[in-house]
Amino acid sequence: TEGTLSADDKAAVILDQTAFYGESGGQVGDAGELLCENMRFVVSDTKPAGSCVLHVGALASGTLHVGARVSALLDTTRRTAIVRNHSATHLLNWALRQVLGDGVNQAGSVVDSERFRFDFTNSKAVTAGELAEVERLVNGKILADLPITIDFRPLDDAKKIPGVRAVFGEKYPDPVRVVAMGPATLDAAQPADAVEFCGGVHLARTSQI
């Protein structure tokens, strides 16, 4: 395969390996730069495509050709803000269930560097008092400085973890990635812990939110 990009060309670049997260599960894709010698490619978005990751952007300077060795520099400030918001959605999901009951189900989410939006179903509108209690519970988990544990489990075993949550209708891989906020290990998880199937990026501790 042959091909070359020149300055101002827009493209999606595929690397043999990358630390960039491709948009998935509501979490937006990463941004950053690809660099080599006098070449600079600005990555504005990252998307999955089968087993590949597309680094979408434009060539700011130099030329880029197939087979070039590049350094992939992640915008870590933006990534950190995204990850903070993503971990916060898990605590919100947990707190809504504590206050409103098990009838609450996640119906979608958007997580970026500026904010997050969490969609959920409920039989009636949330009252001001219920909202205040949700906020108190989330802040309590943040202030408690709890560990965020991430591990892989066979799907059938993961479904048996106490209190685990999954998005209705979502197809999960086997083994599945599990994110738990509170227990030091998945085996120590309790029904009151925030435990979800999730492939996204998270913090190490709740206090980092």
Side-chain angles (χ1 to χ4, degrees):
T1 302
E2 298 180 356
T4 301
L5 297 176
S6 300
D8 297 327
D9 283 350
K10 297 179 180 179
V13 176
I14 298 174
L15 307 178
D16 62 348
Q17 55 183 317
T18 183
F20 282 58
Y21 180 84
E23 179 181 354
S24 181
Q27 181 176 329
V28 299
D30 283 328
E33 298 179 329
L34 306 181
L35 303 173
C36 71
E37 298 178 355
N38 296 321
M39 187 281 301
R40 176 171 171 261
F41 183 91
V42 178
V43 180
S44 57
D45 197 6
T46 314
K47 298 179 179 296
S51 59
C52 300
V53 175
L54 304 180
H55 301 77
V56 181
L59 194 66
S61 60
T63 59
L64 177 62
H65 60 84
V66 172
R69 289 182 62 88
V70 303
S71 297
L73 301 184
L74 183 68
D75 183 342
T76 54
T77 300
R78 179 176 179 275
R79 159 71 80 84
T80 299
I82 293 169
V83 174
R84 290 172 62 205
N85 284 335
H86 193 170
S87 293
T89 66
H90 281 229
L91 292 184
L92 178 58
N93 191 9
W94 166 82
L96 286 168
R97 195 165 68 254
Q98 300 301 307
V99 175
L100 303 178
D102 290 335
V104 170
N105 285 298
Q106 182 176 347
S109 67
V110 175
V111 179
D112 62 29
S113 60
E114 300 296 327
R115 66 183 182 95
F116 71 82
R117 190 195 77 223
F118 188 84
D119 305 327
F120 65 96
T121 59
N122 192 44
S123 60
K124 58 183 178 179
V126 180
T127 68
E130 289 169 335
L131 186 60
E133 179 62 9
V134 167
E135 184 176 5
R136 186 189 70 80
L137 290 174
V138 170
N139 285 335
K141 289 285 191 183
I142 293 171
L143 292 171
D145 187 32
L146 301 171
I148 298 178
T149 301
I150 300 175
D151 203 353
F152 288 86
R153 290 291 170 88
L155 186 57
D156 287 342
D157 293 344
K159 290 178 179 178
K160 299 175 184 176
I161 297 174
V164 70
R165 299 290 288 185
V167 177
F168 178 76
E170 185 81 10
K171 292 184 178 180
Y172 292 96
D174 191 2
V176 66
R177 188 169 179 266
V178 184
V179 177
M181 300 190 176
T185 66
L186 294 185
D187 292 330
Q190 300 296 319
D193 292 322
V195 185
E196 292 188 40
F197 297 165
C198 180
V201 186
H202 286 279
L203 303 167
R205 304 190 70 85
T206 58
S207 61
Q208 295 171 322
I209 294 174

